Amino acid sequence: MDNETKIRWLVRKDLKKVLEIDSEAYDPPWTEDEFVEIMKKQKNCIGRVAVKSEEIVGFIIYLMHRDRIEIIKLAVAEESKGQGIGTSIIDLIKENLLRSKRKNELMTFVQDDNLDAQLFLSEQGFVAVDVLRDFYDDGDSAYLMSYRTEKENIPLPRESLGRENRIAMFL
């Protein structure tokens, strides 16, 4: 069997496994209807899955904006953590999308108490560029984490960020 991780487009039949991974990583997890709604409603929304030995082991949901890519969900199956799958997913986004689509920033919001995600993103070259107090509905704050293709990490204007896309990330 091939143990190499492959990243491919997320399709409807993948949702069962994606929902399982999502429920391990997020509290509360999204429902199937929420996944389907965001993928259909937002034309700039893209889903990918990481596959290893024909098994889905991780996923990413992101939005393509004119000059940046916004990660709204990223998770790796519990039994597959520490195997470089999250790094493979981020590397694909960095290499294929940031360069080929002339995007200059990859960004996401991370809950202030999610140290695992903050450390993972830091290892991937992301920098915390802003703290957003009372960002989530429950009053939790978030870090705006940014990876830029340019040398400087400059925060985005807050008014350009859609509140509906402010999702906690967990790896």
Side-chain angles (χ1 to χ4, degrees):
M1 283 184 131
D2 180 17
N3 278 338
E4 184 181 327
T5 303
K6 294 180 171 62
I7 313 290
R8 65 168 172 76
W9 303 108
L10 180 136
V11 295
R12 180 98 183 193
K13 71 177 183 167
D14 299 331
L15 270 182
K16 182 179 179 193
K17 185 61 178 177
V18 167
L19 288 166
E20 288 176 25
I21 295 169
D22 189 60
S23 68
E24 293 173 354
Y26 290 91
D27 185 24
W30 280 1
T31 64
E32 183 174 347
D33 289 342
E34 288 172 313
F35 272 100
V36 171
E37 181 180 341
I38 194 163
M39 298 297 287
K40 283 185 174 181
K41 186 178 179 183
Q42 297 207 19
K43 302 230 185 275
N44 64 334
C45 187
I46 298 171
R48 303 297 267 312
V49 291
V51 179
K52 192 170 188 175
S53 299
E54 299 183 35
E55 179 77 24
I56 294 171
V57 293
F59 72 92
I60 185 169
I61 307 292
Y62 57 95
L63 297 173
M64 299 283 290
H65 298 285
R66 185 178 54 78
D67 60 348
R68 69 184 186 280
I69 298 166
E70 180 180 352
I71 299 169
I72 57 174
K73 242 182 208 277
L74 172 62
V76 172
E78 195 65 40
E79 67 274 6
S80 299
K81 290 184 178 178
Q83 298 177 20
I85 294 162
T87 299
S88 294
I89 294 170
I90 293 293
D91 285 350
L92 174 93
I93 303 300
K94 283 180 184 176
E95 292 168 18
N96 293 344
L97 299 176
L98 292 175
R99 288 183 189 154
S100 68
K101 301 292 184 186
R102 294 193 168 97
K103 311 280 186 225
N104 63 9
E105 182 176 33
L106 179 56
M107 50 82 62
T108 192
F109 300 94
V110 181
Q111 282 184 299
D112 63 352
D113 63 352
N114 191 345
L115 184 58
D116 288 340
Q118 294 164 28
L119 292 173
F120 169 76
L121 290 170
S122 180
E123 290 169 4
Q124 305 307 311
F126 284 72
V127 175
V129 294
D130 201 358
V131 178
L132 303 145
R133 304 279 179 221
D134 300 319
F135 186 77
Y136 298 101
D137 292 337
D138 63 4
D140 281 351
S141 297
Y143 290 106
L144 171 57
M145 304 284 295
S146 171
Y147 172 87
R148 294 183 62 91
T149 56
E150 301 163 2
K151 297 229 185 253
E152 293 182 49
N153 276 299
I154 302 167
L156 294 168
R158 289 183 187 210
E159 58 275 3
S160 72
L161 304 170
R163 182 125 183 120
E164 69 278 0
N165 298 325
R166 298 173 182 178
I167 308 290
M169 183 174 129
F170 184 82
L171 288 176

